[in-house]
DNA sequence: CCGATCTGGACAACCAGGTTGACCAACACT
DNA sequence: AGTGTTGGTCAACCTGGTTGTCCAGATCGG
């Protein structure tokens, strides 16, 4: 008899715990694969950039954060060599973002690891069960104005 | 045909999104019930105190955070009137924490709201399905050294 | 009874990842 | 040209943590 939650507060902790578990593992593994300074937010940001966010304001909109926050993130990415910026020749206000090979490497590895961890979960739960779980979670998330493509609300995760 | 996740990264976002959804709603509702300044961490902290953490160091251990962080949290709780501290007569190093009526009110309301939200989810999913979901999440969390009673790792959630 | 060590607390500086607010320079529109 | 919009930046602040340092009070061994 598995002792599941029963209480709403526990449910919240289960959700957060699962998330952190997953993400911590990814970050840990990323570190061993040559990305010791990568943080979850970097992954999300680079993904958004790859998906077309080629300026700070753009990134801010995609991530649903302020442009200042986006600028800080970009600065961090530049510092770590995941990304470079250069002034747009056509519009000298803009600073175009370009992902470096190192940055590509990061999201490639990140995607792989995420999928590996998910695959492990799949083994434990069964493919159908995991798919159902995802569908259920999608329902909860779908309730809300939250945009899965805009994980700005995902702020605040630390790994220890 | 529900578009569920397929990718590990999306799964992470689903978990986090569900969590934030739940918690944001609780905080929002808490605000309308007379606890406008309550944050999730306050709830967790007061719960831990009620569960027996009667000093800062104690709370730190339970929450698996540093004692400095615990002290800051306690200061915030005192400031908001959820808790009071007084020097232990028997051990003048210690400062015993006592939960005020207002604090009791907070966790009472919090528990209620958490459960209400969970109940709504139960309606949508079915009781058996939600129970299964919780059991599955518990499995993921159970993998790890994380202690559900020690949500210190839960740090970083902002509501906007 | 006393010194060594452990424990509770506090101060200070820092960090990540956000937020507001003010501001300027460059572009676009009419 | 003049006005408004957009991209970027500076600065200050917030939350919830982190280290590191230090002291005072308690406890234990001799």
């Amino acid at each position: 008899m598995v002792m599941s939650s029963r209480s709403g507060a526990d449910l919240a902790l289960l959700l957060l715990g699962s998330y952190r578990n997953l993400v911590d593992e990814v970050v840990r593994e990323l570190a061993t694969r040559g990305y010791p300074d990568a943080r979850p937010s970097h992954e999300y940001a680079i993904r958004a950039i790859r998906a077309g966010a080629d300026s700070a304001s753009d990134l801010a909109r995609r991530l649903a954060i302020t442009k200042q926050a986006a600028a800080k993130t970009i600065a961090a990415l530049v510092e770590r060599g995941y990304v470079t910026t250069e002034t747009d020749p056509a519009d000298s206000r803009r600073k175009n973002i370009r992902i470096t090979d190192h940055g590509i490497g990061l999201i490639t590895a990140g995607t792989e690891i995420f999928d590996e961890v998910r695959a492990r979960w799949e083994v434990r739960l069964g493919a159908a069960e995991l798919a159902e779980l995802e569908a259920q979670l999608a329902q909860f998330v779908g309730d809300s104005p939250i945009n899965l493509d805009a994980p700005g609300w995902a702020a605040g995760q630390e790994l220890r």
Side-chain angles (χ1 to χ4, degrees), chain A:
Chain A
M1 165 104 185
V2 177
M3 178 55 183
S4 69
S5 104
R6 295 287 162 268
S7 107
D10 284 353
L11 176 52
L13 258 17
L14 285 174
L15 288 166
L16 181 57
S18 301
Y19 170 79
R20 289 197 51 98
N21 233 276
L22 199 166
V23 164
D24 282 3
E25 176 141 2
V26 171
V27 173
R28 204 157 36 231
E29 183 61 24
L30 231 22
T32 76
R33 297 198 194 177
Y35 305 95
D37 53 1
R39 311 195 60 79
S41 62
H42 299 159
E43 268 241 26
Y44 296 135
I46 299 182
R47 258 178 237 281
I49 293 166
R50 189 184 49 175
D54 61 325
S55 74
S57 296
D58 237 40
L59 182 61
R61 280 187 290 268
R62 292 231 185 196
L63 259 30
I65 57 178
T66 59
K67 58 182 179 175
Q68 293 92 326
K72 281 191 193 179
T73 301
I74 293 171
L77 294 177
V78 170
E79 211 174 290
R80 288 164 170 79
Y82 293 129
V83 123
T84 58
T85 57
E86 53 191 46
T87 304
D88 188 325
D91 179 344
S92 52
R93 291 171 305 176
R94 297 180 71 89
K95 289 197 171 177
N96 290 328
I97 311 173
R98 272 207 21 243
I99 308 177
T100 62
D101 290 348
H102 193 221
I104 296 290
L106 174 61
I107 48 179
T108 303
T111 304
E112 258 176 49
I113 299 168
F114 262 120
D115 288 347
E116 282 168 21
V117 178
R118 182 180 177 278
R120 279 207 287 285
W121 286 18
E122 202 169 54
V123 168
R124 299 193 59 168
L125 251 54
E129 284 75 9
L130 182 56
E132 200 198 333
L133 185 147
E134 287 170 342
Q136 291 168 333
L137 293 178
Q139 242 187 301
F140 297 149
V141 170
D143 274 353
S144 79
I146 280 179
N147 175 5
L148 249 204
D149 297 328
W153 45 270
Q157 35 283 359
E158 263 331 302
L159 53 131
R160 216 104 329 137

